Amino acid sequence: ENGIQRPKGHKVSFHYNSHVEDMHFGKTHPMKPWRLTLTKHLVLGHGLQYAMDTYEAVSAGTDEVRKFHAPDYVDFLRQVSPKTFPELCKIPRFTRAIPPKHEGDSVELGPYNLSTSPGADCPVFDGMSEYLFLYTGATLAATHQLTSGACNIAINWSGGLHHAHKAEASGFCYINDIVLAILDMLRVYARVLYIDIDVHHGDGVEEAFQRQPRVMTLSYHRYGPYDETGHKFFPGTGDLEDIGLKGTPGEHFALNVPIPSGIDDRQYKFLFEGVTGRAIEAFNPSAIVLQCGADSLGGDRLGQFNINIKQHGECVAFVKNQHLPLLLLGGGGYTARNVARAWCHETAIATDNKLVDKVPYFVPRIEAFKGRAHGDEKMYPSFERLHKNECKDADLEYMVKKLEHD
Ligand code: TV1
Ligand code: CA
Ligand code: ZN
């Protein structure tokens, strides 16, 4: 008996297709779809499927993806594979989309910022097309459950790919499932608030709605020089001054919270609850989309924050407590065991369940999960590399004041 129960007073739907787990971006690429296998096994191991309606996702249709993306880009993504890539690159309609070469570029770029070079952020890999349309299909199915009133919270941990542009892949993201979801939600809801706790700036979503007062985008992210070399942390946008496109109705409907490396639980809570609370008060959204990128956790392979699963989950709980239709999406997260722990913990939060410290059922292939499932302060033993910049309370206070003023 694990005590898992259906939530009282609201319904949760969970959207997934195991086929996404089999994908490989490349040997050394940080994005590992098998983190979703770990997440699924933890969710099932705890019995959380009994607390929600679970749905097997089907692929998004070409027309659905074209609601945001350029028709030629969608055609390219439909057909692309390592085998077809060289031939597709020769078709004039697609050749036009090859970005100009910059000096010192280490990878050879093809159309739409896609590449078959080993170090590419957006590689062309086997099964890629199926993968893209599947994670998008899962997000759209989750969205439909919400907009039809079939549930109050819908979850797709395989979605949340916030960097993709209209006709360009960027930062491991090819199809912007978030933009597609919000566009669909706008048919039903007057105002949609998008919140992004991935360690990277949610630039693709912000850009798509920068002229739009019915969508407020709010991203919390690492911002500033990456290290001593002066390179900026990806994608380099999301300054405090960036508040939506000036001179359009969308001005003041984007919010950005740039954060130095090393921010801890207490500081993040102060920022997140202060700013998010004020944004909700001012914007009065009809529904919320929360991108739960887990690369904001301490110990992440790419991230530079120092927050625990406990605080990451408290962000989800805070947003859930607004009692608005809520779409929960994944995103980044590059230390797979922590990603799975966080998203399983957050599935429990969405369904009003508390997890026990041991996975109650035998779960194959996750024998490595000997530790606690969540909330373990001692989970990240070494933070040396995280404290290159100090995160000062005074700076954070200034930021909240500034955002309140705007
Ligand atoms: C192949 C193999 C690709 C090893 C990419 C880290 C790799 C990175 C790799 C990597 C890596 C980035 C840049 C590149 C600016 C670009 C899902 C021209 C060890 C939502 C995307 C980060 C984050 C992109 C996505 C970033 C998300 N960081 N090893 N690439 N240069 N790209 O800096 O927000 O989490 O790192
Ligand atoms: Ca973010
Ligand atoms: Zn990220």
Side-chain angles (χ1 to χ4, degrees), residues 64 67-68 139-148 177-189 192 209 214-215 327:
E64 290 176 304
K67 295 253 154 61
F68 171 58
T139 294
L140 291 179
T143 306
H144 292 157
Q145 287 300 107
L146 275 182
T147 54
S148 66
D177 59 306
I178 307 168
V179 171
L180 293 171
I182 295 174
L183 285 173
D184 209 39
M185 290 167 88
L186 287 176
R187 302 191 303 154
V188 176
Y189 305 116
V192 177
F209 298 111
R214 290 179 59 202
V215 180
L327 178 60

Side-chain angles (χ1 to χ4, degrees), residues 129-151:
S129 193
E130 289 84 350
Y131 164 75
L132 305 180
F133 287 85
L134 259 187
Y135 77 64
T136 305
T139 294
L140 291 179
T143 306
H144 292 157
Q145 287 300 107
L146 275 182
T147 54
S148 66
C151 70

Side-chain angles (χ1 to χ4, degrees), residues 57-127:
V58 295
S59 291
T62 312
D63 293 343
E64 290 176 304
V65 178
R66 281 182 173 173
K67 295 253 154 61
F68 171 58
H69 291 286
D72 55 305
Y73 180 48
V74 180
D75 290 342
F76 195 93
L77 293 181
R78 262 276 179 239
Q79 298 169 59
V80 72
S81 76
K83 269 206 189 75
T84 62
F85 188 67
E87 286 305 313
L88 289 174
C89 288
K90 290 184 202 147
I91 301 173
R93 190 158 79 101
F94 300 135
T95 314
R96 269 186 265 128
I98 299 177
K101 225 180 143 84
H102 296 288
E103 222 176 302
D105 276 1
S106 50
V107 291
E108 190 83 31
L109 292 178
Y112 311 106
N113 199 27
L114 302 174
S115 174
T116 44
S117 304
D121 273 355
C122 300
V124 172
F125 54 89
D126 273 315

Side-chain angles (χ1 to χ4, degrees), residues 80-334:
V80 72
S81 76
K83 269 206 189 75
T84 62
F85 188 67
E87 286 305 313
L88 289 174
C89 288
K90 290 184 202 147
I91 301 173
R93 190 158 79 101
F94 300 135
T95 314
R96 269 186 265 128
I98 299 177
K101 225 180 143 84
H102 296 288
E103 222 176 302
D105 276 1
S106 50
V107 291
E108 190 83 31
L109 292 178
Y112 311 106
N113 199 27
L114 302 174
S115 174
T116 44
S117 304
D121 273 355
C122 300
V124 172
F125 54 89
D126 273 315
M128 160 175 162
S129 193
E130 289 84 350
Y131 164 75
L132 305 180
F133 287 85
L134 259 187
Y135 77 64
T136 305
T139 294
L140 291 179
T143 306
H144 292 157
Q145 287 300 107
L146 275 182
T147 54
S148 66
C151 70
N152 311 85
I153 303 178
I155 303 175
N156 171 27
W157 296 130
S158 69
L161 286 310
H162 58 178
H163 298 305
H165 302 281
K166 183 180 162 78
E168 192 186 288
S170 169
F172 321 162
C173 305
Y174 304 77
I175 295 177
N176 201 317
D177 59 306
I178 307 168
V179 171
L180 293 171
I182 295 174
L183 285 173
D184 209 39
M185 290 167 88
L186 287 176
R187 302 191 303 154
V188 176
Y189 305 116
R191 286 173 306 282
V192 177
L193 174 64
Y194 171 68
I195 309 171
D196 185 314
I197 60 170
D198 188 292
V199 76
H200 298 96
H201 175 222
D203 58 347
V205 185
E206 178 184 300
E207 181 190 69
F209 298 111
Q210 60 181 340
R211 303 160 190 277
Q212 175 59 269
R214 290 179 59 202
V215 180
M216 177 174 273
T217 59
L218 165 56
S219 176
Y220 297 82
H221 44 268
R222 171 77 174 83
Y223 182 79
Y226 182 81
D227 52 25
E228 296 76 15
T229 67
H231 280 100
K232 279 195 164 181
F233 192 75
F234 186 86
T237 49
D239 194 276
L240 188 60
E241 309 296 325
D242 169 8
I243 53 164
L245 194 61
K246 294 213 163 55
T248 74
E251 188 175 354
H252 299 295
F253 290 89
L255 282 179
N256 284 291
V257 186
I259 301 169
S261 62
I263 188 171
D264 64 22
D265 283 1
R266 184 184 54 80
Q267 294 169 320
Y268 200 92
K269 187 184 183 65
F270 168 79
L271 261 188
F272 184 84
E273 297 187 0
V275 176
T276 307
R278 283 288 288 113
I280 290 172
E281 231 175 86
F283 184 59
N284 187 25
S286 336
I288 302 180
V289 178
L290 178 59
Q291 196 266 22
C292 304
D295 48 6
S296 42
L297 295 171
D300 187 81
R301 190 177 153 199
L302 296 189
Q304 302 186 358
F305 287 172
N306 206 355
I307 69 172
N308 283 281
I309 287 170
K310 182 170 180 287
Q311 179 50 43
H312 203 271
E314 278 180 28
C315 295
V316 177
F318 182 84
V319 173
K320 173 180 171 276
N321 284 340
Q322 306 300 319
H323 301 291
L324 291 167
L326 175 62
L327 178 60
L328 289 180
L329 300 172
Y334 306 100

